[in-house]
Amino acid sequence: MPPYTIVYFPVRGRCEAMRMLLADQGQSWKEEVVTKDTWLQGPLKASCLYGQLPKFQDGDFTLYQSNAILRHLGRTFGLYGKDQREAALVDVVNDGVEDLRCKYATLIYTNYEGGKQDYVKALPDHLKPFETLLSQNRGGQAFIVGDQISFADYNLLDLLLNHQVLAPGCLDPFPLLSAYVERLCARPKLKAFLASPEHTNRPINGNGKQ
């Protein structure tokens, strides 16, 4: 049995970054898919620490909170920078990803039709910091921090891929980010995962909007 189990709804949502990480690191994992009906019945929700998913199991160790799970995997697989300074920068990136992911989720789930135009208009300002971060690290030819992949790279990649669906061409003004996405997506194990039915058949969000 794989040591890792992801307990989550049948969407990419807040778990696709950890799936990308595990796949790229050559790990297998089990999916426990939670249907809306099962969730609304109550017992599983009541058993979850914050009353929400994802829930992640590493053997007999259970974690909640998607970013805490990513950091745990980052420490497990050496994906948290080479020293404390790089680890701090990885946190800076990941917190920035979380800020934009929350804005994205608010649009998707609360104001898609009415807010999409303004969201897309403001998107360059939200993407520019990541272009800046890339430019400050080896001329944008490597990863977001340092010379090795980090958990923040997978989280950022997932967010950027989602935005390319929402607003095709959104990365065109950002040559470093565009090349970064292409470079990461070409990593053999990650490329295979992104082409797999498990990924392609899984909706991005739970309400059909993307």
Side-chain angles (χ1 to χ4, degrees), residues 1-12 14-33 54-59 69-70 72-73 77 154 189-200 202:
M1 289 288 292
Y4 304 113
T5 301
I6 294 172
V7 183
Y8 197 51
F9 306 110
V11 298
R12 299 179 194 175
R14 284 187 166 272
C15 282
E16 210 65 8
M18 64 185 78
R19 292 175 178 125
M20 289 181 186
L21 184 158
L22 289 169
D24 196 43
Q25 296 298 313
Q27 302 298 307
S28 59
W29 68 94
K30 179 183 176 184
E31 297 272 356
E32 287 189 9
V33 179
K55 173 182 177 181
F56 184 83
Q57 293 173 274
D58 180 349
I69 295 163
L70 284 172
H72 171 67
L73 292 172
F77 295 108
Y154 299 107
K189 291 175 183 175
L190 192 49
K191 181 178 180 179
F193 171 76
L194 293 173
S196 70
E198 290 78 13
H199 173 76
T200 58
R202 188 183 288 125

Side-chain angles (χ1 to χ4, degrees), residues 26-95:
Q27 302 298 307
S28 59
W29 68 94
K30 179 183 176 184
E31 297 272 356
E32 287 189 9
V33 179
V34 179
T35 65
K36 184 178 180 181
D37 287 345
T38 298
W39 187 246
L40 291 176
Q41 286 171 8
L44 174 60
K45 182 175 182 178
S47 74
C48 292
L49 182 62
Y50 294 103
Q52 60 191 27
L53 297 175
K55 173 182 177 181
F56 184 83
Q57 293 173 274
D58 180 349
D60 60 358
F61 183 48
T62 299
L63 280 174
Y64 299 91
Q65 298 288 356
S66 57
N67 286 292
I69 295 163
L70 284 172
R71 288 192 292 268
H72 171 67
L73 292 172
R75 285 184 288 265
T76 299
F77 295 108
L79 310 172
Y80 215 142
K82 67 182 181 184
D83 54 32
Q84 282 192 328
R85 179 168 293 194
E86 282 195 2
L89 290 173
V90 169
D91 284 334
V92 168
V93 173
N94 203 64
D95 285 4

Side-chain angles (χ1 to χ4, degrees), residues 41-165:
Q41 286 171 8
L44 174 60
K45 182 175 182 178
S47 74
C48 292
L49 182 62
Y50 294 103
Q52 60 191 27
L53 297 175
K55 173 182 177 181
F56 184 83
Q57 293 173 274
D58 180 349
D60 60 358
F61 183 48
T62 299
L63 280 174
Y64 299 91
Q65 298 288 356
S66 57
N67 286 292
I69 295 163
L70 284 172
R71 288 192 292 268
H72 171 67
L73 292 172
R75 285 184 288 265
T76 299
F77 295 108
L79 310 172
Y80 215 142
K82 67 182 181 184
D83 54 32
Q84 282 192 328
R85 179 168 293 194
E86 282 195 2
L89 290 173
V90 169
D91 284 334
V92 168
V93 173
N94 203 64
D95 285 4
V97 171
E98 176 63 15
D99 286 348
L100 184 51
R101 191 181 290 278
C102 287
K103 291 181 175 71
Y104 171 80
T106 298
L107 170 73
I108 292 293
Y109 288 105
T110 70
N111 194 29
Y112 185 82
E113 285 76 16
K116 182 178 177 180
Q117 185 175 350
D118 288 342
Y119 183 94
V120 171
K121 185 177 179 180
L123 190 53
D125 289 338
H126 299 311
L127 294 175
K128 186 177 180 181
F130 301 112
E131 182 84 355
T132 299
L133 285 163
L134 276 174
S135 73
Q136 295 170 348
N137 184 39
R138 293 159 174 76
Q141 302 306 307
F143 302 102
I144 196 71
V145 173
D147 57 7
Q148 61 186 32
I149 200 164
S150 72
F151 72 88
D153 285 294
Y154 299 107
N155 206 13
L156 177 57
L157 176 62
D158 176 52
L159 189 68
L160 294 175
L161 291 175
N162 290 349
H163 279 85
Q164 285 184 311
V165 174

